[in-house]
Amino acid sequence: MNFLRRRFSDSSFVANLPNGYMMDFQRPDNSTSNPVSPATERRQQPLQPTPPLSSGTSIFSSISSAMKQTTQAAAGPNEPTASPTPVVQQKPQILLVIDDAHTDWAKYFQGKKANGELEIRVEQAEFSELNLAAYVSAGCMVDMQVIRNGSKVVRSFKPDFVLVRQHAYNMALGEDFRSLIIGLQYGGVHSVNSFFSVYNFCSKPWVFSQLIKIFNSLGPEKFPLVEQSFFPSHKQMLTTPTFPVVVKLGHAHAGMGKVKVENQHDFQDIASVVAMAKTYVTTETFIDSKYDIRIQKIGNNYKAYMRTSISGNWKANTGSAMLEQIAMTERYRLWADSVAEMFGGLDICAVKAVHSKDGKDYIIEVMDSSMPLIGEHVEEDRQLIADLVVSKMTQMVLTVGSSPSPLRPWQMSVKSQMQPQPGPQLGQLSQPRPPPQGGPRQPQGSQPPRTVAPPQQRLSPQGQQPLSPQSTSPQQQRSPGSPQQTRSSAGSSPSQPSKPGVFPPQQPRPPAQGRAPGPQGSVELPKQQAAPHPHLNKSQSLTNTFSLSESSQRGNPNEDEAKAETIRNLRKSFASLFSD
């Protein structure tokens, strides 16, 4: 084709052609001046272009354009598989950081990309500035109203990832944003820490119950936990075993809601205050501390700090205090690792303990990703959090990109279930069945050749020995002249192979015509089956093949066609029997 196209596109070649040579292509078929015979014209007619063309260049240009269009159409279905990839790569990943405006998290994610390809767009706001709506299919849509440089900014977006750096519930300030946590979890948004753990951290006694489990597992030597009591209301607050005690009301942070009680009279006064607060209370033994210990874990980075009160207040986080970093010991690492396993895993957490003046340590509290950053390495810790978020986003992108859509696993499972099923079902119609109980087993060598019905050989293996009578076809088990056999062989729907199973293998056969029922019946029938009947077996195979092919094209036949098919099969069966 390329050679002809080059030849006809050459102007010198076309100019040297005889006069009227190209006009032969434009002559009608009924021209009488052409001496070619009609048979030759009919043979050459498909090769001649039907539309009139002026030159060879236009002929082959139209042919080449048609070939290009055909090639593009053929290559079209393969192109969409690679075309959506750049579109996904160009879409930025939206990261929602829930924190106050004192920390600009956008600068810590500047230049970072999820999976090295996807840009990260940071949206930062507090819980009080957010509102959302979550859907089953559409995910979670967030509305943000913030004040930036004295102007109100309103945005709506769909976050891909969330970093929680603020408490979702604080009874002291009257802030309860647990509904937003529920909505983000409802929308299937990923986060650090997980929304499951953030919601569980909205109750300190609930978190302390998890510390009790770790205490019972590791023991007091490896995991020293402070002694604490829980009261669901003021009615149970009658007395405590020892004094002084620290009373903690409800769920609060930063030392709020904590009172030191020296004696029984002060304890009763606090109980009356709890009655007004209408909340739960925890009491723990007061420890005369020398300093506080804080072990924080950000990803795989560990840091330990010691805080000593200078003002003399029994709360080390109130007033003036001196903070310094201490060495990370294996005991501290065990505390952090044990706590990090709570609620399905904590990527960011901190353990607070008290070191008493007698040299003992007591674990008093655990914090999650909303913990405040302290010390001289605040910038380093923020960068570690940013790197942790990027790694989690990369893991999320790889997981979502490699996993199929919710409909794809179902479609694949349906195809995998539908494809192998027609083989055994259709093969049961032609697979041999062993003789009934009490008779000799028919050898495989006595079966007629299966070359007559190659479609059935392709659907099921015919050279295997049947394992049980229930797994084979009921055709060979029936007597050749019985109407049950013809009805089973005349089935025209692929969904009916299980129907012949209603005839159990133990069902007695009707005696052959002209013979009385007797003990020879079980002997005569296997012998009759052992002798091959090519006409009968061929008619059965052809009838099965024809009925199966017809059923796959037109579905279930009506009753008239089924009766006619049954009559034809009966005639063939009786003809083969009496021919011997």
Side-chain angles (χ1 to χ4, degrees):
M1 181 62 68
N2 293 331
F3 171 77
L4 295 176
R5 183 170 56 187
R6 288 195 302 269
R7 293 290 295 171
F8 277 93
S9 60
D10 189 3
S11 58
S12 61
F13 175 79
V14 177
N16 294 329
L17 292 174
N19 295 332
Y21 183 81
M22 296 301 295
M23 297 300 294
D24 293 338
F25 293 98
Q26 302 178 5
R27 293 179 181 178
D29 295 338
N30 55 358
S31 177
T32 56
S33 61
N34 193 358
V36 184
S37 62
T40 309
E41 285 185 357
R42 286 193 300 269
R43 194 164 50 248
Q44 294 178 357
Q45 185 175 357
L47 300 176
Q48 295 178 357
T50 54
L53 297 176
S54 59
S55 63
T57 305
S58 60
I59 295 174
F60 285 96
S61 62
S62 61
I63 295 176
S64 60
S65 62
M67 293 175 61
K68 290 181 180 179
Q69 293 177 359
T70 306
T71 307
Q72 292 177 359
N78 297 329
E79 292 179 358
T81 56
S83 58
T85 306
V87 178
V88 176
Q89 293 178 357
Q90 293 177 0
K91 180 183 178 182
Q93 295 289 303
I94 300 178
L95 170 65
L96 174 61
V97 180
I98 303 177
D99 199 1
D100 52 30
H102 297 290
T103 304
D104 185 14
W105 284 96
K107 67 178 183 179
Y108 297 100
F109 291 93
Q110 187 176 3
K112 296 183 181 296
K113 296 182 179 181
N115 197 20
E117 299 177 354
L118 302 176
E119 297 287 343
I120 299 176
R121 194 183 81 188
V122 179
E123 298 287 349
Q124 183 174 344
E126 300 183 23
F127 272 117
S128 59
E129 300 170 338
L130 296 177
N131 198 358
L132 59 84
Y135 309 93
V136 175
S137 302
C140 183
M141 297 299 298
V142 176
D143 297 332
M144 181 178 66
Q145 297 182 4
V146 297
I147 304 298
R148 295 289 184 267
N149 299 326
S151 59
K152 186 177 181 181
V153 179
V154 180
R155 295 179 184 174
S156 297
F157 55 88
K158 184 178 180 181
D160 298 299
F161 204 88
V162 178
L163 171 61
V164 182
R165 290 285 301 146
Q166 198 175 28
H167 297 291
Y169 181 53
N170 193 342
M171 295 180 62
L173 302 178
E175 297 176 345
D176 187 1
F177 303 106
R178 288 177 290 183
S179 59
L180 297 178
I181 299 297
I182 295 174
L184 292 170
Q185 175 74 6
Y186 190 94
V189 184
H190 299 266
S191 65
V192 169
N193 287 342
S194 65
F195 291 121
F196 177 75
S197 64
V198 172
Y199 190 85
N200 281 278
F201 265 86
C202 291
S203 178
K204 286 191 174 182
W206 184 266
V207 177
F208 200 88
S209 66
Q210 300 297 316
L211 297 179
I212 296 175
K213 293 182 179 180
I214 301 175
F215 170 77
N216 295 330
S217 176
L218 299 179
E221 295 297 331
K222 294 183 179 180
F223 198 81
L225 188 64
V226 68
E227 186 67 27
Q228 190 180 88
S229 303
F230 174 79
F231 301 98
S233 65
H234 72 285
K235 297 178 181 179
Q236 292 79 19
M237 294 179 62
L238 301 177
T239 184
T240 57
T242 59
F243 288 98
V245 294
V246 177
V247 180
K248 299 180 180 180
L249 282 73
H251 182 78
H253 307 280
M256 303 182 69
K258 299 176 179 62
V259 181
K260 180 183 177 181
V261 179
E262 297 287 348
N263 50 47
Q264 180 68 26
H265 299 288
D266 295 340
F267 188 78
Q268 294 297 327
D269 294 340
I270 290 297
S272 63
V273 176
V274 173
M276 297 297 294
K278 297 180 180 179
T279 183
Y280 53 81
V281 174
T282 58
T283 61
E284 59 188 39
T285 305
F286 174 76
I287 299 171
D288 191 7
S289 63
K290 185 177 181 180
Y291 55 84
D292 291 351
I293 303 172
R294 170 172 163 167
I295 301 98
Q296 72 180 25
K297 181 178 182 293
I298 303 175
N300 295 324
N301 183 268
Y302 299 84
K303 286 187 178 68
Y305 294 96
M306 179 181 66
R307 183 173 56 186
T308 306
S309 177
I310 300 176
S311 60
N313 196 320
W314 67 274
K315 297 179 183 179
N317 56 354
T318 304
S320 300
M322 182 178 62
L323 183 67
E324 60 179 324
Q325 187 174 358
I326 59 177
M328 188 69 188
T329 62
E330 291 298 328
R331 189 185 189 192
Y332 295 161
R333 189 183 297 271
L334 176 62
W335 294 357
D337 291 339
S338 301
V339 166
E341 297 178 357
M342 295 192 314
F343 305 123
L346 304 176
D347 299 313
I348 302 173
C349 62
V351 181
K352 293 177 66 176
V354 175
H355 184 79
S356 64
K357 292 182 179 180
D358 56 0
K360 295 182 180 180
D361 296 332
Y362 298 92
I363 298 174
I364 60 173
E365 190 180 355
V366 177
M367 295 181 290
D368 62 344
S369 60
S370 60
M371 66 178 186
L373 301 178
I374 59 175
E376 301 176 354
H377 306 283
V378 175
E379 292 294 325
E380 179 185 353
D381 293 340
R382 290 172 180 168
Q383 193 63 50
L384 289 173
I385 293 176
D387 295 339
L388 174 64
V389 171
V390 172
S391 64
K392 291 293 181 179
M393 293 181 70
T394 301
Q395 183 179 359
M396 177 196 69
V397 170
L398 294 177
T399 304
V400 173
S402 60
S403 63
S405 62
L407 292 178
R408 194 172 301 171
W410 179 82
Q411 293 176 357
M412 294 175 64
S413 63
V414 170
K415 290 182 180 179
S416 61
Q417 293 176 3
M418 292 298 293
Q419 287 179 359
Q421 284 180 357
Q425 290 178 357
L426 299 179
Q428 288 177 358
L429 296 175
S430 61
Q431 191 174 0
R433 172 172 287 216
Q437 296 181 358
R441 181 178 294 272
Q442 182 180 1
Q444 289 290 334
S446 62
Q447 295 294 331
R450 292 294 176 180
T451 56
V452 181
Q456 295 182 359
Q457 290 182 358
R458 179 176 57 85
L459 291 172
S460 62
Q462 300 296 332
Q464 298 180 358
Q465 183 72 18
L467 298 177
S468 62
Q470 289 81 4
S471 62
T472 55
S473 174
Q475 291 182 2
Q476 297 293 336
Q477 190 174 354
R478 303 289 178 265
S479 60
S482 63
Q484 295 177 355
Q485 179 190 9
T486 56
R487 289 197 188 100
S488 62
S489 63
S492 58
S493 176
S495 61
Q496 295 178 358
S498 59
K499 207 168 193 179
V502 298
F503 302 103
Q506 292 80 7
Q507 184 177 359
R509 298 185 181 184
Q513 296 182 2
R515 297 179 184 177
Q520 291 87 3
S522 61
V523 181
E524 292 292 337
L525 290 176
K527 290 181 180 180
Q528 188 176 359
Q529 288 184 357
H533 295 282
H535 299 286
L536 176 59
N537 293 329
K538 288 181 180 180
S539 62
Q540 289 178 355
S541 301
L542 292 175
T543 304
N544 295 334
T545 306
F546 178 74
S547 61
L548 290 175
S549 60
E550 282 187 343
S551 63
S552 61
Q553 293 179 2
R554 69 172 185 268
N556 295 326
N558 52 22
E559 297 180 357
D560 296 336
E561 292 178 353
K563 291 179 180 179
E565 188 74 13
T566 305
I567 294 173
R568 286 195 297 269
N569 291 329
L570 285 172
R571 290 176 179 175
K572 293 179 182 179
S573 301
F574 283 113
S576 60
L577 285 174
F578 290 106
S579 62
D580 296 335

Short mmCIF file of all heavy atoms in Angstrom, two decimals, residues 395-427:
data_model
loop_
_atom_site.label_atom_id
_atom_site.label_comp_id
_atom_site.label_asym_id
_atom_site.label_seq_id
_atom_site.Cartn_x
_atom_site.Cartn_y
_atom_site.Cartn_z
N GLN A 395 0.88 7.13 52.29
CA GLN A 395 0.35 5.79 52.50
C GLN A 395 -1.12 5.72 52.10
O GLN A 395 -1.57 4.72 51.51
CB GLN A 395 0.52 5.40 53.96
CG GLN A 395 0.06 3.99 54.29
CD GLN A 395 0.27 3.64 55.76
OE1 GLN A 395 0.77 4.46 56.53
NE2 GLN A 395 -0.12 2.46 56.15
N MET A 396 -1.87 6.77 52.38
CA MET A 396 -3.28 6.80 52.01
C MET A 396 -3.44 6.82 50.49
O MET A 396 -4.28 6.12 49.93
CB MET A 396 -3.95 8.02 52.62
CG MET A 396 -5.42 8.20 52.25
SD MET A 396 -6.03 9.86 52.60
CE MET A 396 -5.12 10.80 51.36
N VAL A 397 -2.61 7.63 49.80
CA VAL A 397 -2.71 7.72 48.34
C VAL A 397 -2.38 6.39 47.69
O VAL A 397 -3.05 5.92 46.77
CB VAL A 397 -1.80 8.84 47.82
CG1 VAL A 397 -1.71 8.80 46.30
CG2 VAL A 397 -2.32 10.20 48.27
N LEU A 398 -1.33 5.73 48.18
CA LEU A 398 -0.96 4.43 47.62
C LEU A 398 -2.03 3.38 47.89
O LEU A 398 -2.32 2.54 47.03
CB LEU A 398 0.38 3.98 48.21
CG LEU A 398 1.60 4.82 47.83
CD1 LEU A 398 2.84 4.32 48.55
CD2 LEU A 398 1.82 4.83 46.33
N THR A 399 -2.63 3.43 49.07
CA THR A 399 -3.67 2.45 49.39
C THR A 399 -4.92 2.66 48.56
O THR A 399 -5.49 1.72 48.01
CB THR A 399 -4.02 2.52 50.89
OG1 THR A 399 -2.82 2.33 51.65
CG2 THR A 399 -5.05 1.45 51.25
N VAL A 400 -5.33 3.93 48.42
CA VAL A 400 -6.53 4.22 47.65
C VAL A 400 -6.29 3.98 46.17
O VAL A 400 -7.15 3.48 45.45
CB VAL A 400 -6.98 5.67 47.90
CG1 VAL A 400 -8.13 6.05 46.98
CG2 VAL A 400 -7.38 5.86 49.35
N GLY A 401 -5.07 4.27 45.66
CA GLY A 401 -4.79 4.08 44.24
C GLY A 401 -4.70 2.62 43.85
O GLY A 401 -5.07 2.23 42.74
N SER A 402 -4.19 1.76 44.77
CA SER A 402 -4.02 0.35 44.43
C SER A 402 -5.28 -0.46 44.66
O SER A 402 -5.48 -1.49 44.04
CB SER A 402 -2.89 -0.26 45.26
OG SER A 402 -3.17 -0.14 46.65
N SER A 403 -6.15 -0.02 45.57
CA SER A 403 -7.37 -0.78 45.83
C SER A 403 -8.43 -0.46 44.79
O SER A 403 -8.55 0.67 44.35
CB SER A 403 -7.92 -0.43 47.23
OG SER A 403 -8.28 0.93 47.27
N PRO A 404 -9.20 -1.45 44.39
CA PRO A 404 -10.25 -1.20 43.40
C PRO A 404 -11.41 -0.45 44.00
O PRO A 404 -11.51 -0.27 45.20
CB PRO A 404 -10.66 -2.62 42.96
CG PRO A 404 -10.32 -3.47 44.13
CD PRO A 404 -9.11 -2.86 44.78
N SER A 405 -12.29 -0.01 43.11
CA SER A 405 -13.48 0.68 43.55
C SER A 405 -14.42 -0.28 44.25
O SER A 405 -14.28 -1.49 44.13
CB SER A 405 -14.19 1.32 42.34
OG SER A 405 -14.60 0.31 41.45
N PRO A 406 -15.41 0.25 45.02
CA PRO A 406 -16.31 -0.67 45.72
C PRO A 406 -17.08 -1.60 44.81
O PRO A 406 -17.47 -2.68 45.21
CB PRO A 406 -17.25 0.29 46.47
CG PRO A 406 -16.48 1.55 46.62
CD PRO A 406 -15.62 1.65 45.38
N LEU A 407 -17.31 -1.20 43.53
CA LEU A 407 -18.06 -2.07 42.62
C LEU A 407 -17.17 -3.09 41.93
O LEU A 407 -17.62 -4.12 41.51
CB LEU A 407 -18.77 -1.23 41.56
CG LEU A 407 -19.92 -0.34 42.06
CD1 LEU A 407 -20.49 0.45 40.91
CD2 LEU A 407 -21.00 -1.17 42.72
N ARG A 408 -15.86 -2.76 41.82
CA ARG A 408 -14.99 -3.66 41.06
C ARG A 408 -14.78 -5.01 41.72
O ARG A 408 -14.84 -6.04 41.05
CB ARG A 408 -13.65 -2.97 40.81
CG ARG A 408 -12.80 -3.67 39.75
CD ARG A 408 -11.58 -2.84 39.41
NE ARG A 408 -11.96 -1.53 38.92
CZ ARG A 408 -11.09 -0.56 38.72
NH1 ARG A 408 -9.82 -0.73 38.98
NH2 ARG A 408 -11.48 0.61 38.25
N PRO A 409 -14.54 -5.08 43.07
CA PRO A 409 -14.41 -6.43 43.64
C PRO A 409 -15.67 -7.26 43.46
O PRO A 409 -15.59 -8.45 43.25
CB PRO A 409 -14.13 -6.13 45.12
CG PRO A 409 -13.66 -4.75 45.16
CD PRO A 409 -14.35 -4.04 44.02
N TRP A 410 -16.85 -6.60 43.55
CA TRP A 410 -18.09 -7.35 43.37
C TRP A 410 -18.21 -7.88 41.95
O TRP A 410 -18.58 -9.02 41.72
CB TRP A 410 -19.26 -6.45 43.71
CG TRP A 410 -20.58 -7.13 43.54
CD1 TRP A 410 -21.20 -7.96 44.42
CD2 TRP A 410 -21.44 -7.06 42.39
NE1 TRP A 410 -22.39 -8.41 43.91
CE2 TRP A 410 -22.57 -7.87 42.67
CE3 TRP A 410 -21.38 -6.40 41.18
CZ2 TRP A 410 -23.61 -8.03 41.78
CZ3 TRP A 410 -22.42 -6.56 40.29
CH2 TRP A 410 -23.52 -7.35 40.59
N GLN A 411 -17.83 -7.06 40.96
CA GLN A 411 -17.93 -7.51 39.58
C GLN A 411 -16.95 -8.64 39.30
O GLN A 411 -17.26 -9.60 38.62
CB GLN A 411 -17.67 -6.34 38.63
CG GLN A 411 -18.76 -5.27 38.69
CD GLN A 411 -18.43 -4.08 37.82
OE1 GLN A 411 -17.36 -4.05 37.22
NE2 GLN A 411 -19.32 -3.13 37.74
N MET A 412 -15.74 -8.53 39.85
CA MET A 412 -14.76 -9.59 39.63
C MET A 412 -15.20 -10.88 40.29
O MET A 412 -15.03 -11.96 39.74
CB MET A 412 -13.40 -9.15 40.16
CG MET A 412 -12.79 -7.99 39.39
SD MET A 412 -11.26 -7.42 40.12
CE MET A 412 -10.25 -8.86 39.93
N SER A 413 -15.77 -10.76 41.50
CA SER A 413 -16.23 -11.98 42.16
C SER A 413 -17.38 -12.62 41.41
O SER A 413 -17.49 -13.82 41.33
CB SER A 413 -16.64 -11.65 43.59
OG SER A 413 -17.73 -10.74 43.59
N VAL A 414 -18.26 -11.79 40.85
CA VAL A 414 -19.38 -12.33 40.08
C VAL A 414 -18.88 -13.03 38.83
O VAL A 414 -19.32 -14.11 38.47
CB VAL A 414 -20.38 -11.21 39.74
CG1 VAL A 414 -21.41 -11.72 38.75
CG2 VAL A 414 -21.07 -10.74 41.01
N LYS A 415 -17.90 -12.41 38.15
CA LYS A 415 -17.36 -13.04 36.94
C LYS A 415 -16.66 -14.35 37.28
O LYS A 415 -16.77 -15.34 36.56
CB LYS A 415 -16.40 -12.08 36.25
CG LYS A 415 -17.11 -10.89 35.60
CD LYS A 415 -16.10 -10.00 34.90
CE LYS A 415 -16.80 -8.81 34.25
NZ LYS A 415 -15.83 -7.92 33.58
N SER A 416 -15.90 -14.34 38.38
CA SER A 416 -15.19 -15.57 38.75
C SER A 416 -16.16 -16.66 39.15
O SER A 416 -15.86 -17.84 39.01
CB SER A 416 -14.24 -15.28 39.92
OG SER A 416 -14.98 -14.83 41.05
N GLN A 417 -17.34 -16.28 39.65
CA GLN A 417 -18.32 -17.29 39.99
C GLN A 417 -19.13 -17.74 38.78
O GLN A 417 -19.55 -18.88 38.70
CB GLN A 417 -19.27 -16.75 41.06
CG GLN A 417 -18.60 -16.51 42.40
CD GLN A 417 -19.55 -15.88 43.39
OE1 GLN A 417 -20.71 -15.68 43.08
NE2 GLN A 417 -19.05 -15.56 44.58
N MET A 418 -19.35 -16.82 37.83
CA MET A 418 -20.18 -17.16 36.68
C MET A 418 -19.42 -17.94 35.63
O MET A 418 -19.99 -18.75 34.93
CB MET A 418 -20.76 -15.89 36.06
CG MET A 418 -21.77 -15.17 36.96
SD MET A 418 -23.21 -16.16 37.31
CE MET A 418 -23.92 -16.24 35.68
N GLN A 419 -18.11 -17.71 35.49
CA GLN A 419 -17.38 -18.35 34.40
C GLN A 419 -17.19 -19.85 34.61
O GLN A 419 -17.45 -20.62 33.71
CB GLN A 419 -16.03 -17.67 34.21
CG GLN A 419 -16.16 -16.29 33.57
CD GLN A 419 -14.82 -15.63 33.42
OE1 GLN A 419 -13.80 -16.20 33.81
NE2 GLN A 419 -14.79 -14.45 32.86
N PRO A 420 -16.74 -20.31 35.79
CA PRO A 420 -16.54 -21.76 35.90
C PRO A 420 -17.82 -22.55 36.06
O PRO A 420 -17.80 -23.75 35.93
CB PRO A 420 -15.66 -21.89 37.15
CG PRO A 420 -15.99 -20.69 37.95
CD PRO A 420 -16.29 -19.60 36.96
N GLN A 421 -18.93 -21.90 36.36
CA GLN A 421 -20.15 -22.65 36.61
C GLN A 421 -20.73 -23.30 35.37
O GLN A 421 -21.17 -24.43 35.44
CB GLN A 421 -21.19 -21.74 37.26
CG GLN A 421 -20.90 -21.48 38.74
CD GLN A 421 -21.94 -20.58 39.35
OE1 GLN A 421 -22.84 -20.12 38.66
NE2 GLN A 421 -21.82 -20.32 40.65
N PRO A 422 -20.77 -22.61 34.20
CA PRO A 422 -21.39 -23.28 33.04
C PRO A 422 -20.69 -24.55 32.63
O PRO A 422 -21.30 -25.45 32.10
CB PRO A 422 -21.30 -22.22 31.93
CG PRO A 422 -21.22 -20.93 32.66
CD PRO A 422 -20.45 -21.23 33.90
N GLY A 423 -19.36 -24.68 32.90
CA GLY A 423 -18.64 -25.89 32.50
C GLY A 423 -19.19 -27.13 33.16
O GLY A 423 -19.66 -28.05 32.52
N PRO A 424 -19.20 -27.20 34.52
CA PRO A 424 -19.73 -28.41 35.15
C PRO A 424 -21.21 -28.62 34.89
O PRO A 424 -21.66 -29.74 34.76
CB PRO A 424 -19.47 -28.15 36.63
CG PRO A 424 -18.38 -27.14 36.66
CD PRO A 424 -18.56 -26.31 35.43
N GLN A 425 -21.99 -27.51 34.77
CA GLN A 425 -23.42 -27.71 34.56
C GLN A 425 -23.71 -28.30 33.19
O GLN A 425 -24.49 -29.23 33.07
CB GLN A 425 -24.16 -26.38 34.71
CG GLN A 425 -24.19 -25.88 36.15
CD GLN A 425 -24.88 -24.55 36.26
OE1 GLN A 425 -25.28 -23.99 35.25
NE2 GLN A 425 -25.03 -24.05 37.46
N LEU A 426 -23.07 -27.75 32.16
CA LEU A 426 -23.32 -28.28 30.83
C LEU A 426 -22.64 -29.62 30.63
O LEU A 426 -23.11 -30.47 29.89
CB LEU A 426 -22.83 -27.29 29.77
CG LEU A 426 -23.53 -25.93 29.80
CD1 LEU A 426 -22.96 -25.03 28.73
CD2 LEU A 426 -25.03 -26.09 29.62
N GLY A 427 -21.51 -29.82 31.30
CA GLY A 427 -20.81 -31.09 31.14
C GLY A 427 -21.53 -32.24 31.80
O GLY A 427 -21.31 -33.39 31.47
#
